[in-house]
Amino acid sequence: MEKRYYGVGKLVNTHGLRGEVRVIPTTDFPDQRFRKGNELLLFHPTLAEPLKLKIATRRPHKGFEILSFHGYTNINDVEKYKGGELKIPEEALMQLEEDEFYIHQLIGCEVVTDQGEELGKIVDVMQPGANDVWVVKGKRGEILLPYIDDCIKEVDVKGKRVVCHLMEGLL
């Protein structure tokens, strides 16, 4: 089986001259993921294989994470990696509470209404702000379901099934 990796941050720019980088976190666990000493994998179009990086320093700054990595002490060492994606292997995922799930676990889940109507499958999860929006494709076309208690009634990621209540105005 092919090894899976999950994004935890996007390397968007350098920061200063000492090899620090500016990262937009894409994880709900930045304190754990970007802890000093942790290893991350850098995926970048210029790299044939993911590059293993060990975090030397970390500090949050204006919505970003400012990171440096062991062995990368100069802006010239890291500039070429702008636009790269920082990822972790599947086995490094955090254990979640019983009623919590990762976005990747939702993709492919069958969505049915609380009236028993099959709507289709979740193909994407958007994160526009206040709440996530689940994109469902099926025989009614594309439906956007807000991830709020009034709409999403039951989520069974093991059974790949979601039950929703179609609130007025969603179709």
Side-chain angles (χ1 to χ4, degrees):
M1 190 165 128
E2 189 176 317
K3 196 166 186 171
R4 290 188 176 165
Y5 300 94
Y6 297 96
V8 295
K10 179 109 171 136
L11 199 153
V12 292
N13 212 341
T14 57
H15 186 86
L17 300 174
R18 295 196 176 136
E20 289 182 313
V21 294
R22 187 179 298 218
V23 173
I24 296 174
T26 56
T27 174
D28 288 335
F29 312 105
D31 289 339
Q32 290 93 340
R33 292 290 170 224
F34 303 121
R35 186 179 296 140
K36 183 179 175 179
N38 278 5
E39 287 188 348
L40 300 173
L41 295 166
L42 175 68
F43 287 73
H44 193 273
T46 62
L47 298 170
E49 293 284 319
L51 177 65
K52 192 181 281 190
L53 298 170
K54 189 172 186 177
I55 298 174
T57 64
R58 175 238 181 186
R59 68 182 193 282
H61 179 70
K62 297 183 181 178
F64 294 95
E65 295 288 334
I66 306 297
L67 304 178
S68 70
F69 303 106
H70 287 282
Y72 297 83
T73 57
N74 186 294
I75 186 173
N76 298 322
D77 297 337
V78 293
E79 185 148 35
K80 59 189 170 219
Y81 299 131
K82 285 196 294 192
E85 182 99 16
L86 295 171
K87 297 186 178 189
I88 57 166
E90 188 167 31
E91 60 269 14
L93 290 175
M94 308 281 291
Q95 285 291 87
L96 300 178
E97 298 295 319
E98 192 173 316
D99 59 343
E100 296 178 326
F101 40 82
Y102 285 103
I103 288 174
H104 71 267
Q105 293 175 306
L106 296 172
I107 305 300
C109 283
E110 193 69 45
V111 180
V112 297
T113 69
D114 49 6
Q115 305 298 308
E117 180 186 353
E118 292 184 16
L119 297 178
K121 292 184 187 245
I122 298 173
V123 295
D124 193 14
V125 175
M126 300 185 303
Q127 297 180 296
N131 53 269
D132 291 356
V133 177
W134 298 358
V135 181
V136 178
K137 282 199 176 161
K139 50 189 169 207
R140 287 193 184 211
E142 188 174 274
I143 301 169
L144 304 177
L145 298 176
Y147 179 52
I148 55 175
D149 290 340
D150 289 345
C151 183
I152 305 299
K153 298 300 181 184
E154 184 183 318
V155 178
D156 176 8
V157 291
K158 283 193 174 94
K160 299 297 273 179
R161 180 180 158 92
V162 172
V163 177
C164 73
H165 173 71
L166 280 183
M167 299 167 16
E168 199 171 313
L170 282 180
L171 296 179

